[in-house]
Amino acid sequence: MGAKWDLDKLTNAKNFGADGKVVYKVQGSKIEGEITAEKLQDKSCDIFQMSLEEADAGTPLKFSALSEASIDALKKWADDPHHVILGFQSFAHATDDRYSLAQPGAKDPMEASKLGGSIVDSGPFGAVGKFNQGGSWKGTIDKVPANACTLIHDQDDKPIMVLDVDLGSVFVSDVDLLTTLGGISENSEISAANDRLLGNLYAFMIGIVCNGPPADCEFMDKPFTVCEIPSKPEPEQHFAGHVFVSIGMTINLELLVDIHFKAAFAHSISSVLKIDASSIEIDLQLVGPTVLKVNYKFSMSHVVVSVKKLEVQVASPKFSLETLAMLQSSKQATEFAVEFTDCVQKTPPASTLGGELEIQMTGVSAEMLSDANFVTSIRQSLAVTLGLPATSLEVKLELVHGILTVQFKFTVIGIQLTSLNVLAHQLEKPSFAIGLVAVIQAETTSIGIDVKITGVAIAEGSLSCVAPPPKPGTPAPKPAKVGGTLELQLSSKVTADMLRNRAFVSMFSIAISTKLGLHAESVAVKLVLVGNKLAVNFELSMPVVTVSMVSSITNTIKSASFGNGFLTELKKEIASSSFTLTVTAASLKPGSCEVLEKPEPLPKPPVVTGTLQFDIKSSVTAEMLRSQTFISMFAVSIAAKLGLPASALALVPKLVGGKLVVEFEATVADASAAVLSAMTSEIKSQNFAGGCLTLINKELTASGFSLDIVGASLKPGSVTTHMPKPGVVTGEMRIEVKPIAVDMLSDERFIGMFSLSIAKGLHVAANQISLKLEASAGLVLAQFKVSLPGATVSMVGDLTARVISKGFATSCLAELQQQVQVMGFHIEIVSLTLDMSSMTTKEPPEPKPATEPECKLGSKTIEFKDYLPTKVYDHNDYCPSDRVIVVCYNDKGWYGLNGMGAKWDLDKLTNAKNFGADGKVVYKVQGAKIEGEITVEKLQDKSCDIFQMSLEEADATTPLKFSALSKASIDELKKWAEDPHHVVLGFQSFAHATDDRYSLAQPGAKNPMEASK
């Protein structure tokens, strides 16, 4: 409030504006939180006027209203000659320590220097003249650097206001010069002396914004020359949009940044819009377990159509349909075993899954609950374990009697009712708790918080699921129902009118639902008065639940505490109402609680099982085999190797014949047969067991368990795959089309139009429809088959009912007629009828995944001579004639390409007589130094082909010191070297660092050295 009127005066158009004393308009913009260069740029700031707290007003610099980090950001921002800071008190010293700290004791009146007079006394708002400082502190800046020009001083010639030429900014010794305490008038007019000082000062600072700062302190008498700057180019016009793409699997997060995966979207969208694929930028966001938001952006500079025409094009349903078709036919869909199932522009409906976790944890305190890092680690751990994006999760933490209670709610889009049930069921499995323990332990350790988790459980009856409302025409899911009767002892009168009053009855519904953690709408209540007792007959209706959730709620109702808990909640409702009612006791009527309708058991999701055998040198105790933390190490490691959340793994470790045997089961919700086949192949591959062992050893190191595992293998014949049988509904439609062209019946777009129409009529995904079109007697016969993977009996029954319903053929006809217009086919769909005799409903035998060829694109034979390229490789896309081999190296280490020890290596490699078109090896070599830690991103940015390690003296002996290369750098190099075209040249014991099956390097080799065959 101290300088509130400053902004009113500055934004008054009579003062600053087209018709004002200064012709440029001024507007204010508040920056929340820390000041950063990004925020200043986002707000398009020209001038930054500091606001101070009382603690900043004295000599000691408290950084109360502005932190040191904010001051550093302002200094960096003010390097731009068109950016101006207006600072106060000792903040001049904070920007440049050649300024002294502000001191009290200025002697009135204040007056302008010769230079300052040309600004404050000759400005557009009139002369200021001599004036007094307000307040009792009355600051001065005793010492200023040579690059600072005094504009105002006190009677002892001590600077009060200075212009910093280098920074192009103004500093004032006391903020009260520009506050009401100093004489600023409390209105939007400029009238008082301090008002005129404010106006003239801002007029001068606007001049700096437009022209840059003066060259020196003599600019009043000596004009100076500045170079003209180029005019700002017209901003490049871009076009941006997004679509939502559904994928028939839970997606691996690494795919979101994979350039080849993103290329599928760039190619598909650019092909539909007929633009250059290289000009389009793609950003992928996971907004649901199987839903991607695909953001696209491209420059309009090479696009021949107008923005308006593009907007119309992308808003058309045809754009989504054709994009989906392009994605489905892309080579990336095959390479990544991804099924693109839908593409829409509107955000798909959201589902929610909520509940309460109880975590037994030592070392946690009430203060930690407000620590943002701790809260984030809990939220991140829960999201990772369930395989859902952390952005979709809300959490609230409470500490009750040493138990950390985590109330959570996921909001995810695109998840179906069945998947939501599977997800809820996952939370109830022991494997979820095991996985969560390990992830939380790792997350908290990484942020330096020392806690120990001894147990995790879902609070009884706390889980709740809310799926999107069904589409019109879709049968509602059959709810599970639980009923019971509460008997209440009364000591006040209840009238018949009260029993009929909706507000009175609702108090009992709310009390029951609150106690059980359900929505009040799911509880139906009927009240019956018998003498001085009130019978509360209730029925719970829960549309989205698992069998175990119903069991949990039933047990809660039957528990001894339920009646008292209900009574407590009821008394709260009565107290906040207008009813007079006294209830002295409440209890469940014996034998009244029963399950009226059970939820239909969920189909078993796709599952892959296997057994890993570990060779161990140390002993494994029975306590270790029962320990959740010990088991979770294996679950987390195997899950990570398979790209699954830890909760998807259930396993049993045991000792068999001196070996540690781990039987595991991986649940892959929503996976297709192709995805399941790819995962089975991964488990059977040669590097799967070794990869798991590497991850497990990392977990062991972090956990503190003393266990020496020296080898790992997959038990032969242990891998099994279960793919649930799909429900199948088939039928045939007869469609009158004018005119019929036979070649249209094999046109993929034409077939796709029919598939989509049937899918929309049945409310299923288009990829669940297989279709065959034939021409017969002037009609198109459409033989269709609908597959429902993992469907229950009632789901198949519901689908059959939809097919034979009166509305199905009508809706298909309407959809087809619309699609004909959208797709641009010059035909007329006249009529459509369903052949009822063609309808079948069955469950076919379980499909066997087709075996894929070892080499999808063919093969070639490589001989030993091919590894010594004295001539350019024939037909080798990876190494054409102009290929330059990039040898990268780290920036530390005397022994290496970076230091003197192997300096000449690089000179020899880059000598064209040795490596180059006319050299002994025909490929040119160039070096590239990587600064700091080695990361995959840096290696990719440098286009590295070979990485030669540089070592320090400390790395040369047997103990592995990680002096020139850190453990983290080695891990990144290993990940990078998984590409078969990337090579690491390592030395000393760094072989052991990449794979502990190598021993540490030892001294004592005997000369001469000689080559093997």
Side-chain angles (χ1 to χ4, degrees):
M1 293 302 290
K4 169 188 178 297
W5 297 105
D6 289 14
L7 191 58
D8 290 351
K9 297 176 193 298
L10 295 172
T11 55
N12 184 344
K14 294 179 182 178
N15 303 325
F16 292 85
D19 300 321
K21 296 289 181 67
V22 175
V23 295
Y24 291 100
K25 184 181 178 181
V26 172
Q27 70 180 34
S29 186
K30 183 195 292 187
I31 295 179
E32 306 283 349
E34 288 289 313
I35 308 299
T36 66
E38 290 74 21
K39 291 180 182 178
L40 290 159
Q41 288 168 352
D42 288 345
K43 297 283 189 179
S44 301
C45 299
D46 298 301
I47 299 170
F48 184 92
Q49 178 170 331
M50 294 182 181
S51 297
L52 274 58
E53 296 282 7
E54 186 65 35
D56 302 314
T59 296
L61 200 50
K62 297 291 179 66
F63 294 102
S64 180
L66 286 164
S67 69
E68 291 185 63
S70 291
I71 296 298
D72 290 340
L74 281 168
K75 284 175 62 181
K76 186 176 180 180
W77 170 79
D79 285 341
D80 186 313
H82 301 280
H83 292 163
V84 183
I85 297 172
L86 176 56
F88 304 98
Q89 256 72 357
S90 291
F91 280 100
H93 177 80
T95 63
D96 185 340
D97 58 11
R98 291 177 297 173
Y99 288 97
S100 64
L101 292 166
Q103 303 292 334
K107 292 184 180 178
D108 286 326
M110 310 294 114
E111 58 183 301
S113 65
K114 180 182 177 183
L115 172 62
S118 63
I119 298 169
V120 300
D121 286 336
S122 302
F125 294 96
V128 176
K130 294 183 180 181
F131 61 94
N132 293 335
Q133 265 204 58
S136 58
W137 197 70
K138 297 183 179 180
T140 66
I141 305 175
D142 292 352
K143 294 180 181 178
V144 299
N147 64 316
C149 316
T150 299
L151 302 179
I152 297 175
H153 57 80
D154 73 347
Q155 290 304 297
D156 287 343
D157 284 335
K158 290 182 179 180
I160 302 299
M161 180 187 293
V162 297
L163 164 66
D164 189 306
V165 173
D166 290 348
L167 206 56
S169 296
V170 176
F171 294 106
V172 183
S173 64
D174 195 331
V175 70
D176 283 330
L177 259 69
L178 303 180
T179 68
T180 51
L181 190 62
I184 291 285
S185 60
E186 296 185 11
N187 54 54
S188 63
E189 305 298 325
I190 290 182
S191 53
N194 289 68
D195 295 347
R196 294 193 293 277
L197 174 64
L198 172 72
N200 290 336
L201 176 60
Y202 259 87
F204 173 59
M205 291 193 295
I206 289 172
I208 297 177
V209 169
C210 297
N211 299 307
D216 52 39
C217 294
E218 299 177 3
F219 68 96
M220 180 188 70
D221 299 318
K222 296 180 180 180
F224 57 93
T225 301
V226 295
C227 297
E228 292 287 350
I229 60 172
S231 58
K232 289 185 178 180
E234 287 293 322
E236 188 175 13
Q237 192 175 14
H238 286 86
F239 188 88
H242 66 262
V243 290
F244 293 92
V245 175
S246 298
I247 296 176
M249 57 181 284
T250 301
I251 193 166
N252 186 333
L253 293 178
E254 291 180 0
L255 282 182
L256 302 186
V257 293
D258 188 291
I259 56 173
H260 301 295
F261 186 64
K262 291 168 76 172
F265 298 93
H267 175 71
S268 300
I269 293 172
S270 61
S271 297
V272 175
L273 296 178
K274 295 180 174 55
I275 62 173
D276 180 10
S278 63
S279 68
I280 195 165
E281 297 175 26
I282 296 291
D283 177 52
L284 302 180
Q285 294 175 284
L286 187 65
V287 293
T290 60
V291 179
L292 286 176
K293 184 180 181 183
V294 183
N295 300 292
Y296 59 86
K297 176 182 174 184
F298 53 87
S299 168
M300 291 294 295
S301 56
H302 302 296
V303 180
V304 294
V305 299
S306 66
V307 171
K308 189 170 183 179
K309 188 170 181 180
L310 276 174
E311 288 173 345
V312 172
Q313 188 177 358
V314 300
S316 163
K318 186 177 179 181
F319 172 66
S320 298
L321 290 171
E322 292 187 346
T323 300
L324 177 61
M326 293 296 299
L327 285 169
Q328 289 172 336
S329 61
S330 66
K331 67 176 184 178
Q332 287 86 352
T334 304
E335 289 178 2
F336 292 100
V338 170
E339 293 181 10
F340 298 104
T341 60
D342 201 6
C343 178
V344 295
Q345 288 177 293
K346 290 184 178 179
T347 307
S351 304
T352 60
L353 170 64
E356 194 172 281
L357 273 172
E358 295 175 343
I359 305 176
Q360 295 175 342
M361 182 184 288
T362 59
V364 66
S365 63
E367 291 75 22
M368 290 165 65
L369 304 190
S370 57
D371 184 330
N373 290 331
F374 180 70
V375 176
T376 300
S377 70
I378 299 295
R379 184 173 66 243
Q380 185 72 19
S381 300
L382 188 53
V384 167
T385 308
L386 282 173
L388 294 173
T391 51
S392 67
L393 174 63
E394 300 171 28
V395 296
K396 181 181 178 183
L397 308 186
E398 292 182 357
L399 193 61
V400 182
H401 305 306
I403 294 178
L404 181 65
T405 301
V406 182
Q407 296 172 4
F408 64 88
K409 185 174 82 171
F410 279 102
T411 302
V412 288
I413 70 171
I415 191 167
Q416 301 302 311
L417 178 63
T418 306
S419 300
L420 194 65
N421 269 321
V422 170
L423 198 58
H425 189 55
Q426 269 188 298
L427 286 161
E428 298 168 326
K429 291 163 63 176
S431 58
F432 167 73
I434 291 170
L436 186 61
V437 167
V439 178
I440 292 178
Q441 202 71 69
E443 286 284 337
T444 50
T445 301
S446 70
I447 59 174
I449 293 179
D450 185 20
V451 293
K452 186 72 175 176
I453 304 165
T454 57
V456 174
I458 292 287
E460 210 173 84
S462 69
L463 281 179
S464 65
C465 309
V466 179
K471 297 177 183 177
T474 304
K478 295 177 181 177
K481 292 185 178 180
V482 177
T485 301
L486 281 162
E487 295 180 326
L488 278 58
Q489 295 282 350
L490 307 177
S491 60
S492 62
K493 187 177 180 181
V494 173
T495 66
D497 288 339
M498 292 167 71
L499 298 180
R500 290 192 294 268
N501 187 301
R502 185 176 296 178
F504 183 78
V505 176
S506 69
M507 294 193 303
F508 298 86
S509 299
I510 293 170
I512 294 172
S513 62
T514 303
K515 173 59 183 169
L516 294 175
L518 300 173
H519 295 287
E521 295 80 9
S522 63
V523 182
V525 167
K526 184 178 180 181
L527 305 180
V528 179
L529 190 62
V530 183
N532 66 338
K533 284 187 177 182
L534 182 64
V536 182
N537 300 304
F538 61 88
E539 183 179 286
L540 317 178
S541 183
M542 297 162 286
V544 187
V545 287
T546 61
V547 174
S548 57
M549 287 165 68
V550 171
S551 176
S552 174
I553 288 174
T554 306
N555 290 336
T556 300
I557 294 171
K558 291 179 178 179
S559 67
S561 61
F562 177 67
N564 290 333
F566 160 78
L567 183 56
T568 300
E569 298 298 334
L570 180 62
K571 287 179 177 178
K572 292 178 185 176
E573 293 299 319
I574 294 169
S576 62
S577 74
S578 59
F579 297 104
T580 301
L581 179 67
T582 306
V583 183
T584 57
S587 61
L588 184 72
K589 181 180 179 181
S592 68
C593 181
E594 59 178 331
V595 178
L596 305 175
E597 287 187 28
K598 294 182 179 179
E600 188 174 4
L602 291 172
K604 186 178 180 183
V607 167
V608 181
T609 65
T611 302
L612 285 168
Q613 303 173 131
F614 297 97
D615 300 317
I616 52 177
K617 281 190 174 180
S618 53
S619 60
V620 175
T621 65
E623 287 75 22
M624 289 167 72
L625 296 177
R626 290 193 297 268
S627 166
Q628 276 195 352
T629 306
F630 184 79
I631 295 170
S632 70
M633 291 190 307
F634 292 87
V636 169
S637 302
I638 298 171
K641 182 64 180 167
L642 291 175
L644 297 173
S647 58
L649 261 288
L651 55 83
V652 178
K654 52 189 175 184
L655 281 174
V656 179
K659 290 193 175 198
L660 178 61
V661 175
V662 176
E663 298 172 351
F664 64 88
E665 178 182 275
T667 302
V668 198
D670 298 327
S672 65
V675 172
L676 212 60
S677 175
M679 185 170 292
T680 305
S681 299
E682 163 72 11
I683 295 172
K684 290 181 177 178
S685 66
Q686 292 183 350
N687 63 356
F688 175 71
C692 289
L693 177 58
T694 301
L695 295 170
I696 289 166
N697 278 327
K698 286 183 182 178
E699 294 289 333
L700 278 169
T701 302
S703 71
F705 282 105
S706 178
L707 180 62
D708 189 5
I709 305 179
V710 295
S713 61
L714 184 73
K715 183 179 178 180
S718 67
V719 180
T720 64
T721 305
H722 168 77
M723 187 72 187
K725 296 177 182 178
V728 175
V729 177
T730 64
E732 184 175 283
M733 293 187 296
R734 302 176 185 274
I735 305 149
E736 186 179 354
V737 179
K738 293 181 179 180
I740 295 179
V742 176
D743 58 344
M744 290 174 61
L745 303 184
S746 57
D747 184 327
E748 287 188 7
R749 291 171 66 243
F750 191 73
I751 296 170
M753 180 179 72
F754 279 81
S755 296
L756 187 67
S757 300
I758 296 171
K760 287 196 172 183
L762 296 176
H763 310 300
V764 298
N767 72 312
Q768 293 174 256
I769 307 286
S770 58
L771 191 66
K772 182 181 179 183
L773 300 181
E774 294 179 354
S776 174
L779 298 174
V780 172
L781 303 183
Q783 299 169 5
F784 63 88
K785 181 171 76 172
V786 188
S787 297
L788 295 177
T792 60
V793 174
S794 69
M795 288 167 69
V796 176
D798 289 339
L799 181 67
T800 306
R802 264 177 271 163
V803 173
I804 63 178
S805 67
K806 291 180 180 179
F808 171 61
T810 305
S811 67
C812 279
L813 176 60
E815 186 64 38
L816 267 175
Q817 289 170 337
Q818 181 183 345
Q819 291 299 325
V820 163
Q821 299 298 319
V822 170
M823 301 297 281
F825 289 111
H826 300 294
I827 59 173
E828 181 185 358
I829 309 291
V830 181
S831 64
L832 182 150
T833 55
L834 180 71
D835 181 359
M836 300 297 290
S837 64
S838 70
M839 285 292 303
T840 64
T841 301
K842 60 182 178 180
E843 291 193 1
E846 189 170 343
K848 293 182 180 179
T851 56
E852 295 190 11
E854 184 177 353
C855 301
K856 295 179 182 178
L857 302 178
S859 62
K860 62 183 178 181
T861 301
I862 297 179
E863 300 177 21
F864 181 78
K865 64 182 177 61
D866 293 322
Y867 284 95
L868 302 173
T870 54
K871 63 179 183 178
V872 175
Y873 290 115
D874 292 329
H875 310 299
N876 190 319
D877 293 339
Y878 202 81
C879 286
S881 59
D882 58 350
R883 179 76 152 86
V884 176
I885 306 300
V886 181
V887 178
C888 295
Y889 51 93
N890 46 306
D891 63 345
K892 291 182 181 178
W894 191 87
Y895 297 96
L897 303 183
N898 182 61
M900 292 302 294
K903 171 185 180 296
W904 297 105
D905 289 13
L906 192 58
D907 291 349
K908 298 178 194 298
L909 295 172
T910 55
N911 185 339
K913 294 180 181 179
N914 302 325
F915 292 84
D918 299 321
K920 295 291 181 66
V921 175
V922 293
Y923 291 101
K924 184 180 178 182
V925 173
Q926 71 180 34
K929 183 196 291 186
I930 295 181
E931 305 284 348
E933 289 289 312
I934 307 300
T935 66
V936 171
E937 288 74 20
K938 290 181 182 178
L939 291 159
Q940 290 171 342
D941 287 345
K942 296 284 188 180
S943 301
C944 302
D945 298 299
I946 299 171
F947 185 92
Q948 178 170 333
M949 296 182 181
S950 297
L951 273 59
E952 295 283 8
E953 186 68 36
D955 302 314
T957 52
T958 295
L960 198 51
K961 299 291 179 65
F962 294 103
S963 179
L965 283 164
S966 70
K967 183 70 169 65
S969 291
I970 296 297
D971 289 341
E972 291 289 292
L973 279 170
K974 284 175 62 180
K975 187 175 180 181
W976 170 79
E978 287 175 1
D979 185 312
H981 300 280
H982 292 162
V983 184
V984 175
L985 176 56
F987 305 98
Q988 255 73 355
S989 290
F990 280 101
H992 176 81
T994 63
D995 186 338
D996 57 12
R997 290 176 294 178
Y998 288 97
S999 64
L1000 292 167
Q1002 303 292 335
K1006 293 182 179 179
N1007 285 322
M1009 308 295 116
E1010 54 184 300
S1012 65
K1013 180 182 178 183

